[in-house]
């Protein structure tokens, strides 16, 4: 592995900024830390997975605390960061319950968000010098 | 593309790529690990599908 910014532990403030960037734009944390190949793979794969889920008529769940499973789905969706915010702002992700691919779309969107959370944790470990 | 099997293959592909990139550092290792994960996901999906086949829904 070539020497990167991540080979030494980052200060706490920088670490949290890296995590925020990694959440906002999938792969941005790794790109910041000099792990260019990983960052590009995360950016492309997670963004396409999220968009593919929306194309399959998947929904972006609302935060309804009265329905815990829906709230958990919303939390997972939020894991995608900026793509989620843009989709929400543009009205994408309304979801077509009657579409045959609705549940598949939900699965793609939710898992993309959860995977991005794992990517954020990985960026945190790298920034702390643990990896 | 929107068949159950086709979507399972696409899902397995995305997840395999992300997991392999997270868990391996060298591109060659990532490729091998992603391939093994992908085959494992699809194989397990087909196997579980067949095991569930006799169960009435």
């Amino acid at each position: 592995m070539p020497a990167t910014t991540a080979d030494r532990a980052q200060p706490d403030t920088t670490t949290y900024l890296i995590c925020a960037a990694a959440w906002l734009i999938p792969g941005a944390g790794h790109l910041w830390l000099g792990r260019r190949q990983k960052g590009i793979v995360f950016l492309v794969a997670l963004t396409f997975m999220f968009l593919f889920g929306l194309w399959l008529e998947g929904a972006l769940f609302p935060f309804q605390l009265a329905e815990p499973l829906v709230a958990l789905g919303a939390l997972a969706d939020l894991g995608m960061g900026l793509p989620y915010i843009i989709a929400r702002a543009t009205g994408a992700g309304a979801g077509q319950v009657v579409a045959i691919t609705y549940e598949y779309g939900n699965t793609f969107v939710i898992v993309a968000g959860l995977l991005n959370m794992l990517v954020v944790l990985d960026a945190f470990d790298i920034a702390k010098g643990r990896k | 593309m929107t068949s159950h099997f086709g979507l399972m293959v696409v899902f397995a592909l995305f997840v395999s790529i992300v997991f392999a990139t997270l868990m391996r550092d060298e591109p060659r290792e990532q490729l091998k690990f992603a391939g093994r994960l992908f085959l494992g996901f699809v194989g397990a999906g087909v196997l579980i599908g067949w095991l569930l086949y006799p169960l009435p829904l």
Side-chain angles (χ1 to χ4, degrees), chain A residues 10-24:
Chain A
Q10 305 291 319
D12 279 351
T13 314
T14 312
T15 300
Y16 294 124
L17 280 175
I18 288 169
C19 288
W23 166 72
L24 203 60

Side-chain angles (χ1 to χ4, degrees), chain A residues 54-129:
Chain A
L54 293 181
W55 180 71
L56 291 173
E57 308 286 0
L60 295 175
F61 293 108
F63 281 94
Q64 290 180 353
L65 295 180
E67 294 191 47
L69 289 180
V70 173
L72 285 174
L75 198 63
D77 290 346
L78 190 62
M80 266 310 282
L82 195 60
Y84 167 85
I85 295 167
I86 293 172
R88 178 68 85 192
T90 55
Q96 292 287 335
V97 182
V98 293
I100 198 164
T101 55
Y102 173 72
E103 292 294 349
Y104 299 110
N106 288 341
T107 305
F108 274 80
V109 170
I110 287 172
V111 173
L114 293 174
L115 285 174
N116 195 41
M117 291 180 189
L118 276 181
V119 169
V120 172
L121 290 176
D122 191 59
F124 178 82
D125 278 344
I126 296 169
K128 282 287 183 191

